[in-house]
Amino acid sequence: MYDANPLIHHLRAATIGREAVVFATGPDVGTVSYADLFAGAERMAASLVSRGVLPGDRVAAQVDKSLTAIELYLGTVMAGAVFLPLNPAYTDTEVAYFIGDATPRVFVCDPARVDRLRTVAGEAALMTLDGHGNGSLADLAATQHGFDLVARDPSDLAAILYTSGTTGRSKGAMLSHENLYSNSLTLRDYWQFTSDDVLIHALPIFHTHGLFVATNVALLAGAQVVFLPGFDAEAILAAMPSSTALMGVPTFYTRLLADPRLTPELAANMRLFISGSAPLLVETHENWEERTGHRILERYGMTETNMSSSNPYDGDRIAGTVGQPLPGVEARVMKDDQAVQLGEIGVLEVRGPNVFQGYWQMPEKTAEELRPDGWFITGDLAKIDDKGYVTIVGREKDLVITGGFNVYPKEVESLIDDLPGVLESAVIGVPHPDFGEAVVAIVIPTGHDISSEAVSTALSDQLAKFKQPKHIEVMAALPRNTMGKVQKKALRETFAELFS
Ligand code: AMP
């Protein structure tokens, strides 16, 4: 019966007949069997259908992380509908845009916000669910019994995830059943996940990393999951001795490194630490190995493509690179519509079953970024070495063009990061009357005093003049979003008037 619904078929297959249990903590303290999780998902599906959800309809959810929210995701797909998770941090105005754009049949929100969001819900049936799994949707689900899966084709949509929208309007990336299950199957095998694994899940579930990479891979392996409501160093360190894997963003690793309890003994049962969604500093990679004996496995992907490349499980995990294209995924680096020479920097393009179906109701945007022959233009600047390892150099739009010369922020950042007393840095371009743009470096010290002059002097004989920052600002921390990405747009705004 499950064959008819490809994603659910694959996600359930490994959990059937297994005693695999989801260990939950936080608001969901206790254990839940996979059989119960899927039974809950069926009740969700039945509830959604009772509220008029038809195949292809969108179900939007702006809810806190909980197992019930996972049931809502699975139930939506079971009902043949399209899951649309929204970051709980989005304001009412932002939510209004997503609801207006995606016109969901059902919109599930936090009970605390239901009165305010009623005005933006439009035609959608408004239901509630809080972080403890309570609300009108849970009440309705409690009255349901079983559900016959709605049949879908592999090319039918299972989810729409809005991109973070660093330039212009946020775009809804349409992901098919096949996009999701093919990528998760590849990752499960590539990273050797089995039912013996216990995965620490501390990522948000409104983003591709926590919802698809972590959740789908664990389900496909029939692995156990320590399901945490969010990042919590205390809970992660407590879970480590009885867990085998952690998936995190770089900030997870830097924060855990700050805790003296992180030792090789504590991590002795762990077999795999995975990082992605933002660049992992080489320094973090090295410090982690020193402190735990483990080399972090870094991978690369984006909302539109799921995961595209990964460092190997058995082979060389090279710090500062995002590894090789995953099996079935092709990657190339292009400049002016031509493939560059090996090792040269250009825009990374990827192709494979992982690549999305286009942007929701934005055919022009889709045509700009997804070529007719299936290559997706990622917008990331990258280079590929002779062994096929990909290095991400930054976003194309973060490239600084000063006096007609290209400056790749990563090149300058790497040199600054290597200086003693520097924790990390961000290099941006800001408007400059003479040069068009000027290179500006924001430097975060490790705690010791470090002056702009010292950084400037250290760089003077290492970089061509045009690459040297025209201004260096020492700050306490870089602005980051929940996924650990440095918000360069915010920095550009802060320093926009510097040279005017
Ligand atoms: P998102 O769609 O929110 O997942 O963001 C995707 C973007 O995050 C990519 O286009 C990259 O710019 C960045 N990204 C993801 N993983 C990595 C990584 N391992 N190293 C560097 N950048 C990354």
Side-chain angles (χ1 to χ4, degrees), residues 152-427:
R152 297 267 80 189
D153 283 330
S155 61
D156 284 327
L157 297 190
I160 294 178
L161 261 60
Y162 278 84
T163 58
S164 34
T166 35
T167 46
R169 284 200 316 163
S170 198
K171 299 170 289 213
M174 301 190 289
L175 297 154
S176 69
H177 280 243
E178 188 187 6
N179 289 151
L180 300 181
Y181 74 70
S182 69
N183 201 241
S184 312
L185 280 167
T186 302
L187 295 175
R188 179 196 67 184
D189 297 341
Y190 206 69
W191 295 336
Q192 303 190 10
F193 272 89
T194 70
S195 55
D196 292 336
D197 274 303
V198 182
L199 173 71
I200 303 173
H201 190 315
L203 291 159
I205 55 167
F206 55 78
H207 185 267
T208 183
H209 196 168
L211 185 62
F212 300 139
V213 184
T215 306
N216 287 357
V217 168
L219 285 168
L220 282 174
Q224 297 184 345
V225 179
V226 180
F227 197 71
L228 302 173
F231 177 84
D232 174 349
E234 204 63 39
I236 292 177
L237 292 171
M240 241 184 232
S242 53
S243 301
T244 64
L246 172 69
M247 291 185 192
V249 295
T251 32
F252 279 25
Y253 293 101
T254 49
R255 289 189 200 166
L256 290 169
L257 276 168
D259 197 301
R261 289 170 296 177
L262 183 74
T263 59
E265 295 71 41
L266 192 85
N269 198 54
M270 295 288 288
R271 69 169 184 90
L272 186 56
F273 292 95
I274 300 176
S275 177
S277 291
L280 183 79
L281 294 175
V282 172
E283 188 193 356
T284 311
H285 192 278
E286 288 168 354
N287 290 346
W288 193 266
E289 185 171 14
E290 210 169 282
R291 290 280 296 284
T292 68
H294 288 275
R295 288 176 72 77
I296 296 174
L297 184 155
E298 185 169 7
R299 97 297 177 278
Y300 158 82
M302 58 198 301
T303 305
E304 290 93 329
T305 63
N306 297 281
M307 298 307 107
S308 292
S309 78
S310 170
N311 272 280
Y313 186 76
D314 285 325
D316 233 356
R317 296 181 195 166
I318 304 179
T321 81
V322 295
Q324 296 153 320
L326 286 164
V329 178
E330 295 170 90
R332 67 181 185 190
V333 176
M334 303 284 282
K335 201 182 219 165
D336 304 327
D337 280 338
Q338 296 286 323
V340 300
Q341 301 288 329
L342 199 68
E344 235 185 272
I345 293 173
V347 176
L348 184 69
E349 299 191 4
V350 298
R351 180 164 74 172
N354 54 317
V355 172
F356 76 146
Q357 308 299 302
Y359 294 113
W360 172 255
Q361 288 182 337
M362 287 187 179
E364 308 80 23
K365 285 274 171 217
T366 303
E368 277 169 27
E369 293 175 34
L370 189 56
R371 297 182 190 271
D373 58 0
W375 286 100
F376 175 66
I377 305 167
T378 65
D380 283 315
L381 293 167
K383 56 184 179 181
I384 302 184
D385 72 11
D386 55 353
K387 296 200 175 68
Y389 281 73
V390 180
T391 299
I392 304 292
V393 180
R395 297 287 298 163
E396 192 181 18
K397 62 176 190 300
D398 292 333
L399 179 76
V400 186
I401 305 177
T402 180
F405 292 110
N406 286 357
V407 179
Y408 297 106
K410 174 106 184 257
E411 187 189 354
V412 186
E413 288 162 3
S414 304
L415 288 171
I416 298 177
D417 294 349
D418 282 346
L419 298 177
V422 173
L423 179 66
E424 58 177 346
S425 61
V427 165

Side-chain angles (χ1 to χ4, degrees), residues 30-158:
T31 61
V32 178
S33 72
Y34 275 126
D36 284 347
L37 186 77
F38 277 94
E42 288 185 355
R43 288 194 295 274
M44 281 291 171
S47 308
L48 296 173
V49 170
S50 80
R51 299 308 303 261
V53 168
L54 297 170
D57 280 348
R58 276 76 56 213
V59 172
Q62 188 189 30
V63 295
D64 282 335
K65 184 177 177 181
S66 71
L67 279 182
T68 319
I70 296 288
E71 291 174 359
L72 173 58
Y73 152 54
L74 296 171
T76 300
V77 181
M78 285 176 165
V82 182
F83 188 58
L84 196 176
L86 294 170
N87 186 339
Y90 284 144
T91 63
D92 299 356
T93 318
E94 285 165 326
V95 172
Y97 164 72
F98 295 117
I99 300 296
D101 192 54
T103 58
R105 178 78 62 183
V106 171
F107 172 36
V108 187
C109 73
D110 192 279
R113 287 178 70 177
V114 69
D115 289 334
R116 296 201 327 259
L117 288 173
R118 206 177 297 284
T119 52
V120 307
E123 303 282 296
L126 190 59
M127 310 215 65
T128 62
L129 188 66
D130 70 12
H132 300 269
N134 300 317
S136 63
L137 178 63
D139 294 343
L140 177 60
T143 66
Q144 308 292 320
H145 306 279
F147 184 76
D148 284 336
L149 290 199
V150 172
R152 297 267 80 189
D153 283 330
S155 61
D156 284 327
L157 297 190

